[in-house]
Amino acid sequence: MGEQIDFRWRYQPRKETDIKLMEYIQSNPIRAKSEIILVAIRSFWLPHAITTNSGDNKQIQSIARSSIQVLKRQAQEIGELAGLEESYGIFTTHPGANKQTLGILPNISGKLVGDRLENCVYDDGGLSNFL
């Protein structure tokens, strides 16, 4: 692996929803703060970071596929958690959107797509453990 980076982030939420989010992350007895935050950040931002810093199309595509699968599971988990009847496991482009824009559209069939998020194992070990 490359050099280590010390990343610090300080945030004092003002919105009620952000306060609830930070309290949840801070007091979660099952997952560490870093793990919770990294799962969310990697899911969306890792493909951007790799695309910016790599010319290896196979690596970019592999990471993109992994990220899309994680985002699908996250969308499914959110729908189940909220008791939504429709499934949000299908990713497609919106009409009129450019090719790089992904949107989440309801899966009317309601069947499960992928695993539930809590069945996935993530750690803070870097890119090799994310794939």
Side-chain angles (χ1 to χ4, degrees):
M1 289 269 147
E3 65 184 73
Q4 289 187 334
I5 296 174
D6 185 24
F7 182 85
R8 296 180 194 273
W9 180 51
R10 181 176 167 91
Y11 178 61
Q12 294 179 326
R14 291 190 174 94
K15 289 176 158 181
E16 185 64 30
T17 54
D18 287 346
I19 291 169
K20 287 180 182 181
L21 174 62
M22 295 303 133
E23 287 173 348
Y24 176 79
I25 291 171
Q26 192 83 347
S27 66
N28 191 304
I30 299 170
R31 296 188 175 190
K33 285 186 281 189
S34 292
E35 180 183 358
I36 291 171
I37 293 168
L38 283 172
V39 168
I41 291 172
R42 282 183 182 142
S43 302
F44 184 78
W45 292 108
L46 183 59
H48 291 275
I50 298 300
T51 301
T52 300
N53 298 312
S54 174
D56 182 354
N57 276 350
K58 287 188 184 234
Q59 180 189 32
I60 292 167
Q61 290 174 355
S62 174
I63 290 168
R65 282 186 194 96
S66 295
S67 293
I68 289 168
Q69 289 304 312
V70 171
L71 289 167
K72 284 180 179 181
R73 289 188 298 267
Q74 289 173 344
Q76 186 68 39
E77 176 74 14
I78 291 166
E80 290 175 9
L81 182 67
L84 299 176
E85 290 185 22
E86 60 271 4
S87 170
Y88 288 88
I90 296 177
F91 285 70
T92 186
T93 55
H94 293 287
N98 67 37
K99 291 179 185 176
Q100 297 173 341
T101 304
L102 289 177
I104 302 172
L105 296 180
N107 176 358
I108 303 305
S109 70
K111 69 179 187 176
L112 261 171
V113 179
D115 296 329
R116 291 177 53 97
L117 185 58
E118 68 249 19
N119 292 339
C120 301
V121 177
Y122 299 97
D123 68 11
D124 191 18
L127 177 61
S128 63
N129 293 317
F130 181 67
L131 298 177

